[in-house]
C-alpha cells in the first residue's frame, strides 16, 4: 500500500514525484476500488480520540479522595463495632456517614457530566466532506473517506481534509490554527527546502486549515494521525496531566488528618487499656466505639461534599459568564495563576486583518488601532492621497460588502457609493472575501474614502497569482476612458511606478522619493505589518470596453502603501492591565512574526514598548533547558515557536514555582494547554484538539473572560479557606473535648453508674454535630460574598498551604475554647457538679452536646474572616442566618423529641439549663474576638513602624 511519511519531505519533491510515490495519476486520480482498498488498509481520515470514560467509572472516581477513604474506614469500623456489640435497630452513625459520602459523589458526578455535555455542544468545525478526483471525475466524499493518493480539488472556502502536496494552481490558506500566522499563506506547486518548517512549506496544504482564495489540485500525502494535526494530537496524548494545586492541597490535608486520627485513637485507646482492666468483649467493643468516635470527630465529614458544592456553584457562575470548566478543581487553579501564557492570534487579537497605516509620498497616515471600530464615527482624518490608496485598493479586489440582511452591495460599481449612511453607522455592513482585501474595504468604509472612486465601474481584471503577486482591474471612468488600478506586494508594484500621488497631484517618482518610500515600507514590515502597494493609471482616451491585460501595468502612479495587521481585541488591553494589577504576569507565545508579536504586545501593555526583548523559536531551539529557565524570567514575548517550544516554555515557567495558565485556540496550542496547570481554550473559534486538551473553555473567545475567571477562582479559594477555618476548628473542638474528657476519666477513674467509662460525647452525637453544623452552616459560610480586594492581592504561591500557620493558630485557639466550654458544661451538669439538681450523666452529656453545637454555630460568623470582627458585614449573608436558625431548631428537636432522645441518648433540658448552655457557648466567640482585636492592633502597629521607616529612608535619600 502506498504510504508517504514526513521523512519523505513531500514538500521538497516535485509534484509528479509525489504522485508517483503515492501511486496515483494526478490527471485521473484513484479509482473507487483503489480508494476503498486504501481506506480499508489505512483506516478513516480522522484523529484518534481517547475512549469515553464509562459513566460507572466516572461515578466511582468520585470516591478517589483521601478524606472519603477516611470516611469509608469509619463506616467499616462502625459496622464491625455495631455487629460485635449485638445492637438492634438502625446504625445511625453508619447511615449518616454513608449518606454524606454518596451525596458528595452524586454531586461531583452530576456537575462534571453537565460540563462534559456543554463541551460536547461545542462540536469541532472539521471538514465534513471533500471534493476529490476519482477515475477522472470530480467526486464529493466524506472527509473521513479521503485516502493517501487522492487528488483534492480545492477552491475558495473549502476546508482542507488532509495534508496534501499542490500539483497545480495556487491558493491562499488560513493556517492560524496550525501555525499562529494571522494572514493567509500563499501556496504554489514550487518545491521548498527539505528543512522548511510547517509555516514555510508553501507547497503543502494541511488538514484543519481553510482555503481563502484561489483554486488548485493537490495530492494527499497524509491522513488521520499522520497529518500535522495528528502529530500534535499524538504529542498531546503523551503529555501527562498534573493534579491541580487544590487537589494536591486537599490530598495533603486528607493524609494529615488520617495520621492525626490514628495517633489520637491509639493514644486514647492506649490510655484506656493502661488505666482500666478491659477483659470482656463488651468492654473491648466500648473502647473500639470510643476510637470510632474520635475518628469521626477528627474527620470533617462535610468537607468533600461542601468542596464539591462550592466548586460546582463557582462553575455555574462562570458558565453564565461564558467560561465552561471541565474539571471542578481547575476553578481554584486559575485563581492561583501567577502567569498567563496567551496565544496571540484569535485570543489577544481578532484573527482578522485591518489597515493600521497608509504610507504615501507625503508621509504616513495612522488610521487608528482598528478601522472596523471606527465605522460611522463621523471622522475622516485621511488626506486625499491616503483616501485614493484605500479606494483604488478596494476597487482592485474581490472582497464584497453585504448589508445585515445579506443583500450584496455593488462594491465594484457606482452603486457602492449609494449605501445609506445609517447602514454604515449602525455596523449593518458585513465584509466578505480574502482577509487582506476585506481589510482594505473595511478601511475604505470606516474612513469614508469611497468618494475617491465615485463613478468608477469595474469592467475587467487580471487576477492575483503567486508568480505575479499583484492584481489589476480596469474600470470605466465617469469622465471617459478607463482607469487601471493595481494592488500587490510593494516589490511587484513599485518598480512599475513612474509617478507618485503627492498632495493630490501626480509628481515624478524620483530616486529620493523612491528611497524614502522603500524605507517606510521596511519600517512597516519591521513592525510586523503586511504591506500592500496601490497604484493606478488614468487613460482618458482608452475605449471603455478595453480588455484587462498585464500590458496595462506600466507607467503607474503610486497612490500609497497600506500597512495591515491583525488588530488587538478592544477589551484585551483592559484585561491585560487587570491581570497585571492582580499580580499576574502575561506572556505572549505565538507562531507569528517577532515584529508583529512585540508590536501587539506593546500595544496591549504586555511589554513596555516595541523595543522589549523577543525570543524567537530558532534561538529558543538552541537554548538548553537551564538557559531557557533563565530566559523566561525576563522575556514575555515568544515568536515563531513550534508546539514543542510552547511545552518547554510552560515547563520552564513551572520550574520557578509559577502556576501557569495557558490560553489558545489552535491545534499548535494543544500540548501546552495540557501541560499547563490549567489550559484555557477558545470555544467559538478554537479547534477540537485544543478544546479537548483544555480544562476550561471560553465560549465567547474573549481574553477578558479570563480575568473574570481569575476573580472567580480567587473568590472560591477565599470561601474554601473560610469553611476550612470553620470546619477544622469545630472538629478540633470535638476531638479535644472527647480526648481530654476520656483521658481525664481514665486517669482519675471516673466511671458511670453502671461502671462503664465516662465519655462527654457519644459517637452518634458527634455525627449529629458534624451533620448539623458541618453541612448547612459550612455551606452558607462558603457562600459568603467575595471580598472587594480580591484582584488587588498577589497570587497565592503554589507552595503556600491552603491552611497556613496563621489559620492553624486560629483553628487551635478556637478548638481549645470550644473543648473548654464543652467540658465545663459537662462538669457543671454532672452529678455533684456546679449546677444543683437531679442531673445525671445523660443530662450532663446533653448539656455538653448542646454547648458544643451552639459554639459551632457562633463560630460560623467568626470564621468568615481571620482578622475582621464577626460583626463586620454581619447581615450580608442571609443563607448563613437561615442555616443557623435551622440548626438551632433541629438541635431543640434532638433534645426534646422522645424518639430522637432514644436515637441520640439525650435528655430534655429546662429553660434555665438552656440559658446556662447559651452563656457557656458565648465564651467561644468572646475569646475569638479578643484574639482578633490583638491581631488587628499588632497589624496597625507594624504598618505604622514600616511607614515611619520608609519616611526616614526617603528623608535620608
Amino acid at each position: 500500500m502506498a504510504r508517504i511519511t514526513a521523512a519523505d519531505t513531500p514538500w521538497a519533491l516535485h509534484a509528479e514525484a509525489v504522485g508517483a510515490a503515492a501511486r496515483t495519476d494526478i490527471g485521473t486520480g484513484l479509482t473507487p476500488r483503489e480508494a476503498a482498498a486504501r481506506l480499508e488498509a489505512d483506516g478513516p481520515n480522522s484523529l484518534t480520540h481517547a475512549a469515553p470514560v464509562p459513566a460507572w467509572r466516572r461515578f466511582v472516581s468520585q470516591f478517589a479522595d483521601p478524606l472519603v477513604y477516611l470516611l469509608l474506614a469509619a463506616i467499616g469500623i462502625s459496622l464491625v463495632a455495631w455487629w460485635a456489640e449485638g445492637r438492634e435497630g438502625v446504625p445511625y452513625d453508619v447511615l449518616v456517614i454513608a449518606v454524606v459520602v454518596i451525596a458528595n459523589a452524586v454531586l461531583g458526578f452530576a456537575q462534571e457530566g453537565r460540563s462534559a455535555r456543554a463541551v460536547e455542544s461545542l462540536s469541532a468545525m472539521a471538514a465534513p466532506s471533500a471534493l476529490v478526483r476519482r477515475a477522472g471525475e470530480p467526486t464529493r466524499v466524506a472527509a473521513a473517506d479521503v485516502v493517501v493518493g487522492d487528488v483534492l480539488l480545492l477552491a475558495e472556502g473549502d476546508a482542507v481534509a488532509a495534508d496534501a502536496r499542490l500539483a497545480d494552481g495556487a491558493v491562499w490558506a488560513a493556517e492560524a490554527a496550525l501555525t499562529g500566522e494571522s494572514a493567509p499563506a500563499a501556496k504554489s506547486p514550487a518545491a521548498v527546502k527539505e528543512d522548511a518548517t510547517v509555516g514555510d512549506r508553501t507547497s503543502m496544504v494541511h488538514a484543519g486549515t481553510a482555503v481563502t482564495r484561489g483554486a488548485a489540485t493537490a495530492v494527499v500525502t497524509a491522513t488521520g494521525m499522520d497529518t500535522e494535526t495528528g502529530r500534535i494530537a499524538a504529542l498531546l496524548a503523551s503529555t501527562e496531566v498534573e493534579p491541580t494545586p487544590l487537589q494536591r492541597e486537599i490530598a495533603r490535608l486528607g493524609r494529615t488528618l488520617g495520621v492525626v486520627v490514628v495517633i489520637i485513637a491509639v493514644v486514647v485507646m492506649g490510655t484506656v487499656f493502661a488505666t482500666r482492666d478491659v477483659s470482656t468483649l463488651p468492654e473491648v467493643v466500648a473502647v473500639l466505639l470510643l476510637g470510632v468516635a474520635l475518628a469521626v470527630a477528627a474527620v470533617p465529614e462535610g468537607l468533600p461534599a461542601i468542596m464539591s458544592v462550592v466548586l460546582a456553584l463557582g462553575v455555574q457562575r462562570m458558565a453564565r459568564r461564558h467560561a465552561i470548566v471541565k474539571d471542578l478543581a481547575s476553578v481554584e487553579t486559575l485563581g492561583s495563576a501567577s502567569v498567563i501564557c496567551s496565544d496571540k492570534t484569535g485570543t489577544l487579537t481578532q484573527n482578522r486583518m485591518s489597515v493600521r497605516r497608509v504610507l504615501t509620498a507625503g508621509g504616513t497616515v495612522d488610521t487608528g488601532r482598528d478601522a472596523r471600530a471606527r465605522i460611522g464615527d463621523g471622522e475622516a482624518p485621511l488626506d486625499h492621497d491616503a483616501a485614493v490608496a484605500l479606494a483604488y485598493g478596494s476597487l482592485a479586489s474581490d472582497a464584497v460588502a453585504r448589508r445585515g440582511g445579506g443583500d450584496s452591495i455593488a462594491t465594484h460599481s457606482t452603486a457602492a457609493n449609494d449605501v445609506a449612511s445609517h447602514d454604515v453607522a449602525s455596523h449593518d455592513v458585513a465584509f466578505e472575501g480574502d482577509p487582506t482585501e476585506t481589510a482594505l474595504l473595511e478601511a475604505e468604509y470606516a474612513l469614508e474614502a469611497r468618494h475617491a472612486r465615485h463613478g468608477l465601474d469595474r469592467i475587467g481584471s487580471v487576477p492575483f497569482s503567486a508568480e505575479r503577486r499583484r492584481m489589476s482591474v480596469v474600470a470605466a471612468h465617469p469622465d471617459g476612458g478607463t482607469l487601471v488600478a493595481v494592488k500587490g506586494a510593494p516589490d511587484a508594484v513599485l518598480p512599475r511606478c513612474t509617478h507618485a500621488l503627492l498632495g493630490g497631484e501626480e509628481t515624478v517618482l524620483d530616486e529620493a522619493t523612491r528611497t524614502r518610500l522603500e524605507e517606510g515600507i521596511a519600517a512597516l514590515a519591521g513592525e510586523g505589518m503586511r504591506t500592500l502597494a496601490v497604484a493606478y493609471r488614468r487613460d482618458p482616451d482608452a475605449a471603455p470596453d478595453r480588455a484587462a491585460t498585464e500590458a496595462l501595468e506600466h507607467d503607474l502612479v503610486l497612490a500609497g502603501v497600506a500597512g495591515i495587521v491583525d488588530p488587538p481585541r478592544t477589551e484585551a488591553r483592559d484585561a491585560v492591565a487587570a491581570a497585571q494589577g492582580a499580580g499576574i504576569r502575561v506572556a505572549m507565545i505565538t507562531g507569528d512574526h517577532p515584529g508583529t508579536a512585540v508590536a501587539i504586545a506593546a500595544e496591549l501593555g504586555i511589554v513596555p514598548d516595541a523595543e522589549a526583548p523577543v525570543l524567537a523559536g530558532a534561538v529558543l531551539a538552541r537554548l538548553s533547558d537551564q538557559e531557557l529557565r533563565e530566559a523566561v524570567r525576563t522575556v514575555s514575548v515568544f515568536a515563531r515557536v513550534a508546539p514543542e517550544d510552547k511545552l518547554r516554555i510552560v515547563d520552564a515557567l513551572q520550574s520557578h514555582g509559577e502556576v501557569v495558565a495557558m490560553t489558545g485556540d489552535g491545534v499548535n496550542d494543544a500540548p501546552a494547554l495540557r501541560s499547563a496547570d490549567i489550559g484555557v481554550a477558545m470555544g467559538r473559534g478554537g479547534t477540537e484538539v485544543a478544546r479537548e486538551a483544555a480544562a476550561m473553555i471560553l465560549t465567547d473567545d474573549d481574553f477578558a473572560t479570563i480575568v473574570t475567571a481569575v476573580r472567580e477562582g480567587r473568590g472560591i479559594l477565599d470561601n474554601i479557606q473560610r469553611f476550612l477555618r470553620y470546619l477544622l476548628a469545630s472538629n478540633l473542638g470535638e476531638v479535644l473535648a472527647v480526648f481530654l474528657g476520656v483521658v481525664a476519666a481514665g486517669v482519675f477513674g471516673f466511671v458511670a453508674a453502671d461502671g462503664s467509662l465516662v465519655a462527654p460525647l457519644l459517637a452518634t452525637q458527634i455525627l449529629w454535630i458534624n451533620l448539623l453544623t458541618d453541612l448547612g452552616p459550612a455551606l452558607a459560610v462558603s457562600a459568603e460574598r467575595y471580598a472587594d480586594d480580591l484582584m488587588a492581592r498577589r497570587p497565592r504561591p503554589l507552595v503556600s498551604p491552603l491552611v497556613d500557620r496563621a489559620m492553624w493558630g486560629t483553628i487551635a485557639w478556637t478548638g481549645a475554647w470550644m473543648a473548654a466550654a464543652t467540658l465545663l458544661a459537662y462538669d457543671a451538669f454532672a452529678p455533684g457538679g456546679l449546677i444543683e439538681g437531679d442531673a445525671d450523666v445523660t443530662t450532663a452529656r446533653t448539656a455538653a452536646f448542646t454547648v458544643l453545637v451552639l459554639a459551632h454555630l457562633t463560630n460560623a460568623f467568626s470564621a468568615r474572616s481571620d482578622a475582621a470582627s464577626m460583626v463586620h458585614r454581619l447581615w450580608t449573608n442571609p443563607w448563613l442566618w437561615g442555616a443557623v436558625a435551622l440548626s438551632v431548631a433541629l438541635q431543640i428537636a434532638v433534645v426534646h423529641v422522645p424518639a430522637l432522645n432514644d436515637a441520640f441518648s439525650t435528655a430534655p433540658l429546662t429553660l434555665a439549663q438552656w440559658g446556662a448552655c447559651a452563656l457557656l457557648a458565648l465564651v467561644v466567640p468572646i475569646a475569638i474576638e479578643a484574639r482578633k482585636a490583638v491581631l488587628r492592633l499588632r497589624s496597625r502597629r507594624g504598618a505604622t513602624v514600616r511607614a515611619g521607616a520608609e519616611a526616614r529612608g526617603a528623608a535620608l535619600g
Side-chain angles (χ1 to χ4, degrees):
M1 190 61 61
R3 296 194 65 84
I4 302 176
T5 67
D8 297 321
T9 60
W11 52 88
L13 302 175
H14 290 292
E16 293 76 8
V18 174
R23 292 169 56 191
T24 187
D25 186 324
I26 297 176
T28 60
L30 300 174
T31 64
R33 178 177 297 180
E34 177 64 17
R38 295 188 182 191
L39 182 64
E40 178 69 23
D42 297 340
N45 175 34
S46 60
L47 300 181
T48 302
H49 299 284
V53 180
W56 68 267
R57 186 173 295 174
R58 287 193 293 113
F59 181 75
V60 171
S61 69
Q62 304 299 319
F63 297 92
D65 184 281
L67 289 175
V68 174
Y69 296 155
L70 290 177
L71 296 178
L72 293 176
I75 289 176
I77 295 174
S78 298
L79 282 174
V80 170
W82 180 74
W83 172 80
E85 195 177 31
R87 288 185 292 171
E88 297 181 354
V90 178
Y92 289 100
D93 46 359
V94 173
L95 186 61
V96 170
I97 299 177
V99 167
V100 170
V101 170
I102 294 174
N104 168 67
V106 170
L107 184 65
F109 176 79
Q111 182 56 45
E112 290 186 6
R114 184 181 295 113
S115 295
R117 287 191 296 274
V119 173
E120 290 172 2
S121 69
L122 298 167
S123 57
M125 290 169 36
S129 64
L131 187 64
V132 299
R133 182 181 291 151
R134 289 192 178 167
E137 296 294 329
T139 306
R140 186 161 294 278
V141 300
D145 294 339
V146 172
V147 298
V148 173
D150 260 328
V151 178
L152 295 178
L153 304 179
L154 301 173
E156 182 175 328
D158 287 349
V160 181
D163 287 3
R165 171 67 164 84
L166 261 67
D168 60 62
V171 294
W172 282 257
E175 296 185 325
L178 190 64
T179 66
E181 287 278 9
S182 304
K187 303 290 185 177
S188 69
V192 297
K193 297 178 180 179
E194 290 186 4
D195 59 353
T197 61
V198 174
D200 295 327
R201 295 172 189 170
T202 55
S203 60
M204 297 286 295
V205 288
H206 298 285
T209 64
V211 177
T212 63
R213 187 172 62 184
T217 58
V219 180
V220 173
T221 59
T223 60
M225 294 300 289
D226 293 329
T227 64
E228 286 298 320
T229 299
R231 184 180 65 82
I232 296 174
L235 181 63
L236 172 64
S238 65
T239 305
E240 295 184 3
V241 180
E242 295 290 332
T244 68
L246 179 61
Q247 290 171 327
R248 290 193 290 264
E249 184 69 21
I250 294 302
R252 183 164 57 246
L253 181 61
R255 290 191 297 269
T256 301
L257 290 176
V259 172
V260 170
V261 166
V262 172
I263 292 175
I264 291 177
V266 169
V267 170
V268 170
M269 288 189 291
T271 300
V272 173
F273 282 118
T275 58
R276 290 184 57 81
D277 182 17
V278 180
S279 56
T280 65
L281 180 61
E283 290 176 330
V284 172
V285 169
V287 175
L288 288 175
L289 283 174
L290 183 60
V292 171
L294 284 169
V296 169
V299 178
E301 285 84 354
L303 180 57
I306 295 171
M307 186 78 71
S308 295
V309 169
V310 171
L311 292 172
L313 291 176
V315 166
Q316 291 172 9
R317 284 193 296 269
M318 295 178 73
R320 291 194 294 270
R321 291 171 172 82
H322 309 293
I324 295 176
V325 177
K326 295 161 62 177
D327 177 44
L328 295 182
S330 298
V331 181
E332 181 271 341
T333 310
L334 190 58
S336 297
S338 56
V339 178
I340 298 178
C341 295
S342 176
D343 184 40
K344 179 186 72 69
T345 306
T347 308
L348 291 168
T349 64
Q350 301 177 35
N351 197 18
R352 64 177 183 82
M353 308 307 290
S354 178
V355 175
R356 175 65 59 85
R357 296 195 183 97
V358 179
L359 174 68
T360 67
T364 302
V365 177
D366 195 332
T367 61
R369 288 183 178 174
D370 184 2
R372 178 186 290 181
R374 298 184 57 184
I375 291 180
D377 66 4
E379 298 182 12
L382 295 187
D383 61 18
H384 176 270
D385 300 350
V388 169
L390 291 177
Y392 290 177
S394 298
L395 180 66
S397 77
D398 294 320
V400 297
R402 296 184 186 277
R403 290 187 176 91
D407 297 331
S408 177
I409 300 171
T411 310
H412 307 301
S413 68
T414 304
N417 302 289
D418 299 330
V419 181
S421 60
H422 67 79
D423 284 341
V424 178
S426 64
H427 294 240
D428 197 29
V429 176
F431 302 95
E432 299 177 0
D434 177 81
T436 304
E437 294 185 340
T438 59
L440 291 170
L441 191 58
E442 285 180 6
E444 182 196 30
Y445 271 78
L447 305 171
E448 299 183 8
R450 287 169 294 136
H451 63 84
R453 59 179 173 112
H454 180 74
L456 292 174
D457 287 322
R458 177 170 153 180
I459 57 177
S461 67
V462 181
F464 191 99
S465 70
E467 292 75 24
R468 286 169 32 80
R469 301 175 64 220
R470 62 189 182 277
M471 175 180 180
S472 301
V473 300
V474 177
H477 199 281
D479 296 333
T482 61
L483 181 137
V484 177
V486 181
K487 170 191 97 271
D491 58 355
V493 175
L494 196 56
R496 289 171 170 76
C497 296
T498 57
H499 292 71
L501 195 62
L502 179 61
E505 299 292 332
E506 298 177 2
T507 62
V508 175
L509 184 57
D510 55 30
E511 286 304 315
T513 304
R514 190 181 296 272
T515 300
R516 189 170 66 252
L517 286 169
E518 290 174 346
E519 290 174 349
I521 293 170
L524 294 178
E527 294 183 44
M529 297 188 194
R530 184 176 184 181
T531 54
L532 277 180
V534 179
Y536 70 95
R537 183 166 64 84
R538 172 86 168 89
D539 191 347
D541 300 324
D545 59 349
R546 72 189 300 179
T549 66
E550 287 190 53
L552 300 177
E553 299 170 345
H554 64 85
D555 297 328
L556 302 176
V557 179
L558 181 71
V561 179
I564 303 175
V565 297
D566 179 7
R569 288 177 175 267
T570 54
E571 68 281 355
R573 184 177 180 85
D574 291 338
V576 169
Q580 292 170 338
I584 301 171
R585 176 185 169 196
V586 179
M588 178 190 290
I589 305 178
T590 178
D592 216 336
H593 187 278
T596 304
V598 74
I600 295 295
E603 187 170 334
L604 291 173
I606 294 174
V607 294
D609 53 53
E611 301 301 319
V614 183
L615 187 58
V619 177
L620 189 153
R622 294 194 297 268
L623 296 180
S624 66
D625 289 343
Q626 180 58 41
E627 290 172 331
L628 182 58
R629 283 194 287 270
E630 290 301 316
V632 298
R633 292 180 181 272
T634 55
V635 177
S636 295
V637 180
F638 304 85
R640 290 292 194 209
V641 295
E644 295 84 354
D645 298 330
K646 295 187 177 186
L647 275 174
R648 291 187 64 202
I649 293 168
V650 170
D651 292 342
L653 288 167
Q654 290 173 328
S655 70
H656 295 300
E658 304 283 7
V659 179
V660 180
M662 171 70 187
T663 74
D665 59 354
V667 174
N668 60 341
D669 296 322
L673 288 174
R674 176 64 63 85
S675 181
D677 292 289
I678 179 167
V680 184
M682 305 296 119
R684 183 181 298 168
T687 58
E688 179 186 14
V689 175
R691 288 197 291 264
E692 287 187 354
M696 179 181 295
I697 300 171
L698 305 183
T699 59
D700 59 356
D701 289 10
D702 191 346
F703 182 83
T705 303
I706 298 172
V707 178
T708 301
V710 168
R711 184 178 186 278
E712 192 69 39
R714 290 188 176 189
I716 288 172
L717 175 62
D718 250 19
N719 282 346
I720 288 175
Q721 289 182 313
R722 285 188 178 103
F723 76 69
L724 281 177
R725 188 183 300 119
Y726 169 72
L727 283 179
L728 295 179
S730 300
N731 283 55
L732 180 62
E734 298 169 25
V735 169
L736 290 176
V738 175
F739 176 74
L740 296 176
V742 170
V743 170
V747 171
F748 296 106
F750 298 148
V751 295
D754 61 359
S756 62
L757 186 66
V758 172
L761 296 170
L762 300 177
T764 52
Q765 292 172 345
I766 293 172
L767 276 172
W768 172 257
I769 293 173
N770 287 2
L771 180 65
L772 187 69
T773 64
D774 285 11
L775 291 180
L779 188 58
V781 167
S782 69
E784 188 73 13
R785 192 180 71 189
Y786 293 163
D788 298 330
D789 65 342
L790 274 179
M791 297 304 288
R793 305 175 188 172
R794 302 289 300 174
R796 183 175 71 94
L798 188 63
V799 295
S800 176
L802 200 60
V803 183
D804 55 20
R805 182 177 299 179
M807 189 184 294
W808 278 120
T810 300
I811 291 169
W813 178 267
T814 304
W817 280 100
M818 281 186 181
T822 302
L823 293 176
L824 182 59
Y826 183 84
D827 185 67
F829 280 84
L834 298 176
I835 298 179
E836 298 295 334
D838 56 354
D840 53 15
V841 171
T842 301
T843 301
R845 191 174 282 136
T846 302
F849 176 35
T850 301
V851 167
L852 189 54
V853 168
L854 296 178
H856 274 38
L857 297 179
T858 60
N859 183 41
F861 293 97
S862 298
R864 295 178 303 152
S865 173
D866 208 14
S869 171
M870 65 183 294
V871 299
H872 177 64
R873 292 168 54 174
L874 186 61
W875 306 101
T876 59
N877 190 346
W879 294 105
L880 181 56
W881 283 99
V884 168
L886 178 61
S887 297
V888 170
L890 291 174
Q891 179 64 18
I892 292 173
V894 166
V895 172
H896 291 282
V897 174
L900 296 178
N901 290 150
D902 294 338
F904 292 95
S905 302
T906 57
L909 298 177
T910 65
L911 186 60
Q913 290 171 332
W914 270 102
C917 290
L919 288 174
L920 286 170
L922 284 176
V923 171
V924 176
I926 291 173
I928 295 173
E929 288 299 300
R931 181 177 183 272
K932 287 184 177 182
V934 172
L935 291 176
R936 289 195 298 271
L937 180 61
R938 288 179 179 175
S939 178
R940 283 195 294 269
R941 286 179 177 175
T944 302
V945 171
R946 287 192 298 272
E950 291 175 0
R952 287 191 296 273
L956 292 174

